[in-house]
Amino acid sequence: PTGPVKVGGQIKPPRRLVNVAPVYPSLAQQARVEGEVEIEAVIGEDGRVREARVTRGKPLLNDAALTAVRQWTFTPTTLNDRPVAVVMTVTVVFTLR
């Protein structure tokens, strides 16, 4: 394939190796905002996040989720024994303590 392939079928999702937790925005904490942010991420052949965009979320949480996801690293995904870039959806959950 010339571009990133969608995870599914024989294309297994990569396993996350480095998980950077999002920093809960103080304004969202004060407003008592909780919830999930869904992000479509392109994971490169090397396992690093190349691109990320919010597909569903809450405005006060979206930037913090994107900042965290862009720092994650994954195991490289292979297709026919060659590393390939993949597109996958990840979810970041924000819960107040």
Side-chain angles (χ1 to χ4, degrees):
T2 57
V5 295
K6 193 90 167 146
V7 169
Q10 292 185 346
I11 307 295
K12 302 274 188 256
R15 190 172 38 88
R16 189 169 43 203
L17 297 174
V18 175
N19 179 31
V20 175
V23 176
Y24 216 121
S26 59
L27 187 57
Q29 285 179 325
Q30 292 168 6
R32 313 267 322 142
V33 175
E34 295 182 314
E36 296 181 347
V37 178
E38 280 188 8
I39 295 174
E40 183 179 80
V42 176
I43 314 301
E45 293 91 345
D46 60 357
R48 298 189 184 276
V49 177
R50 279 197 199 153
E51 300 172 32
R53 69 178 183 89
V54 174
T55 57
R56 184 179 62 84
K58 301 201 176 198
L60 290 176
L61 304 174
N62 292 347
D63 287 341
L66 280 171
T67 299
V69 168
R70 287 181 176 133
Q71 297 176 69
W72 293 358
T73 58
F74 295 83
T75 56
T77 300
T78 58
L79 178 63
N80 298 327
D81 295 324
R82 302 186 86 173
V84 294
V86 294
V87 178
M88 62 184 275
T89 301
V90 296
T91 303
V92 180
V93 179
F94 288 86
T95 306
L96 292 169
R97 294 185 179 150

